[in-house]
Amino acid sequence: MLAEDLHALEAKVGELIALCESLASENRALRQRNRAWAAEKSNLVERNEMARSKIDAMIDRLKSMDVT
């Protein structure tokens, strides 16, 4: 009976090790995706600020042309 219990325990430990490895791999992939999303967000924020600056400059030019 002790040998059977030991084999069952070894099997469970093996399953836990496999699960931990799988979760670690998934975690690495998620962290990598998170870094990619953060970089994309930063890029989009920068582009948005540039567009806002250009629009503000155009509005200022139009206002200065409107003075009569």
Side-chain angles (χ1 to χ4, degrees):
M1 186 72 171
L2 185 60
E4 290 176 18
D5 291 340
L6 186 57
H7 288 306
L9 182 59
E10 286 175 345
K12 296 262 185 199
V13 169
E15 290 175 16
L16 285 173
I17 290 171
L19 179 60
C20 286
E21 289 171 350
S22 174
L23 290 173
S25 176
E26 183 180 357
N27 193 14
R28 281 190 298 275
L30 289 171
R31 286 178 188 271
Q32 184 177 356
R33 264 196 286 177
N34 189 37
R35 284 190 298 271
W37 283 114
E40 184 177 352
K41 178 185 174 190
S42 176
N43 184 27
L44 290 172
V45 167
E46 183 180 335
R47 289 174 55 195
N48 190 18
E49 289 300 319
M50 285 177 28
R52 184 186 319 268
S53 177
K54 287 179 181 180
I55 290 170
D56 286 344
M58 285 191 292
I59 290 172
D60 288 343
R61 284 197 308 270
L62 288 172
K63 283 181 180 177
S64 70
M65 293 171 60
D66 193 34
V67 177
T68 54

